Amino acid sequence: MNEKILNQLEFYKIKEWLEGHAATSLGKELALKTFPSTELEEVKAWQEETDEAVTILRLKGHVPLGGISDIRPAIKRATIGGILTASELMSIASTLYGVKQLKTFIESLEEETLPIFKSYIEELVVLNQLERSIKNCIDDHGHIMDGASSKLRTIRNQIRTYESRVRDQLDSFTKSKSNMLSDSIVTIRNDRYVLPVKHEYRSTFGGIVHDQSSSGQTLFIEPQAVVDLNNKLQEARLEEEQEIEKILRELSSYVQADVEELRYDVDLLQKIDFIVAKGKLSRQLRAVKPKMNQDGFIHMRQARHPLISDDEVVSNDVEIGKDYTAIVITGPNTGGKTVTLKMVGLCTLMAQSGLQVPALDGCELAVFDHVFADIGDEQSIEQSLSTFSSHMSNIVQILEDVNHNSLVLFDELGAGTDPQEGAGLAMAILDFVVERKSRVIATTHYPELKAYGYNRDEVINASVEFDVQTLQPTYRLLLGVPGRSNAFDISKRLGLNDTIIDKAKSMVSEDSRSVENMIASLDQSRRQAEDRYEEADQLLQEASELYSDLKHEYEQYLKHKDKHMDKAKEKANTIVDKAEKEAEQVLQEIREMKDQAHIKEHKLIDAKKRLSDQKEQFKDQDHQPKKEVKKVQNFKPGDEVHVLSFNQNGHIVDQISDKEYEVQLGILKMKVPAKQLEFIKRPNPLKTKPMASVKGSAYHVKPELDLRGERYEDALQRLEKYLDEALLANYHQVSIIHGKGTGALMKAVQQFADEHRAVKNKRFGHPNEGGSGVTILELK
């Protein structure tokens, strides 16, 4: 590839656009050096870089590259020991700040897959100390600050003092001797404060004359009274310059120490800015990443010429390199053949330069060793011999260098000479290039080449569509259909007499008429196929939308179905658990009542009614309003309460004080403030007769036994005695509290229960009953 070919295909305009998207002079430099590569792996790597930049721009809209500048000249001067200026040092500090900003920005995209950018960011060296040293001495405007050194601060304080004293002295002259002055102001000449004195009063002031006006009537005099002060001021300013030079020399030495890291950072920043510029150009062109190959295969869908505006460009499908290696585009001038030719060539150069191409996703382009083009201004009907010679010289050079991995573009091949000779040359040249296995696209208006593609398997005819109704080209590329002359149809539309048109047709050879008829038939078949394709495509879109809607509705149904089922199951489990507890409580009361000697029948009926009412209550659970929890001031032992701080239910064991109660929560007893308690219910005491006496005394026993803290033997003795008492009390279930601890007491209780004749079954308590710290025994 040479510059002439790049200029013919207007690749330089793409580079100018690319330069405009670069944020720094570093990136602009690389943009102008952009050149297509012939190495497949290198091109693929470049395309990956561009694609990552497009991804970042899509996510964030920008990449922070502000403050970064070309500091390479300053680095070079620092390398050889030169003293850098304050502005140069500030540019270095600003660039180092830009490095930090860029590094932080890319690292914030940790969820995205950006291997190339992240590898560059990892390689960037952050020189915080150098940046801090420079910014501590130089402000944002490039001025050395007073705090750069203690000596500089002292000197500048002296300068301000001397300046103030000089101005005070001169101000006194402007007030007391204003009539001797041309203007009552203090001005500066040769870095010294002076007064504009009228020429005739020169001797009154004495001192030194530094300048005079053009007329000579005003002398700028430094009065003798301030000469010494001005001298001291000049000395202080000289010391200031020396101290500033010392500070700059020290900062330059810091830069020299980090020169390698700085040079490495600049190279990386240049690459990053260039890659981001490629990404910005892709967004501007609405371009896509092409798949690259080295097999000479080109396939682009709805490709557009990048240099034609969106409101004028026509997109086309182009394919070459598999079933055929040559495309011959025939048809009249101004139909868009040259634009199509240039579009393929320019997109190929862009892809081989790592730039994305304006087309739809899924396009594929090849990496060629050479892209040859013979394109000139062939829109004029007249062709001179010199033009033909120029084109032929170019074609001769192309034919000498062409090989199997070349893309050759011929515009109006064989034009500029006798039509029959030109057509023969065109076919011979095409044969030569096709035999070399090159990929070739040629445009021509010779009718003889319309039949060229039908006789060769490697060649396909093509044309650019022309609308006879509007007498305008549509610029659509039609592969497989050669171009028609349309001369008769156009003439008829423009009003030419039918007799003349019929006579003209009779003068055309039979072969030509057959070819035109064949092309017309192909064109009609193509239009019918396109109409059917559009109809089928519309039906497919409608079916796809319907399928998508149905799929979405079904997924929503499954999602809500599972959700509602889970919610219903959870609610049902809650209701069942509550019902079981209430039923157990009611049944327990029934069991206690049935063994009492003088129980009244109406109490049994009342207990059964409570169970039935509870069942009906849970049936209508969703429609019943939640009962408010009663709050009482004074609780009594046995009251069931809800402990707010633990969100647990328990019962009052004892009252410790007016503001504190002892509460039983499962197996735990704890002190709880009264304000943390909510009253639930108070058990109704049953009026029963005393139970049967055991050994002459009334017998009472609790439904639970607490063995925690007992020794092994004592615990078993207490347990055996307790079970006897529970059987006498006619309990069907009791709770043995043994705690968790080491597990020894738990095992002893479990083993004892297995061997006891009156124990029907055993289990650990539920979480609300104390869990594994409690064993529930069912008695026979």
Side-chain angles (χ1 to χ4, degrees), residues 163-177:
E163 285 178 339
S164 177
R165 291 171 62 186
V166 169
R167 294 189 69 88
D168 287 345
Q169 286 266 17
L170 295 179
D171 285 342
S172 65
F173 282 117
T174 61
K175 294 175 182 177
S176 61
K177 300 180 179 181

Side-chain angles (χ1 to χ4, degrees), residues 464-502:
V464 179
E465 187 179 51
F466 188 89
D467 191 338
V468 180
Q469 301 298 321
T470 61
L471 304 181
Q472 293 291 330
T474 65
Y475 304 106
R476 288 185 58 204
L477 181 67
L478 307 175
L479 289 173
V481 180
R484 296 177 62 191
S485 64
N486 297 310
F488 296 145
D489 293 332
I490 293 173
S491 300
K492 187 173 183 178
R493 289 280 300 170
L494 292 175
L496 188 65
N497 190 287
D498 288 344
T499 304
I500 297 174
I501 293 174
D502 292 340

Side-chain angles (χ1 to χ4, degrees), residues 162 165 227-237:
Y162 291 144
R165 291 171 62 186
V227 169
D228 289 341
L229 282 175
N230 264 333
N231 287 339
K232 292 180 180 180
L233 178 59
Q234 291 301 315
E235 290 175 3
R237 285 175 175 168

Side-chain angles (χ1 to χ4, degrees), residues 14 17 285 304-309 313 343 346-347 350 358:
I14 299 296
W17 279 4
L285 297 176
R304 310 179 304 278
H305 195 294
L307 299 178
I308 300 178
S309 61
V313 71
M343 183 266 290
L346 186 54
C347 286
M350 290 173 64

Side-chain angles (χ1 to χ4, degrees), residues 173-190:
F173 282 117
T174 61
K175 294 175 182 177
S176 61
K177 300 180 179 181
S178 59
N179 60 318
M180 301 179 183
L181 303 177
S182 299
D183 198 355
S184 298
I185 60 171
V186 177
T187 185
I188 296 175
R189 290 292 186 277
N190 299 326

Side-chain angles (χ1 to χ4, degrees), residues 255-269:
V255 174
Q256 185 179 22
D258 292 328
V259 70
E260 292 301 325
E261 290 81 359
L262 286 169
R263 189 179 289 117
Y264 191 70
D265 276 357
V266 169
D267 291 342
L268 286 176
L269 292 172

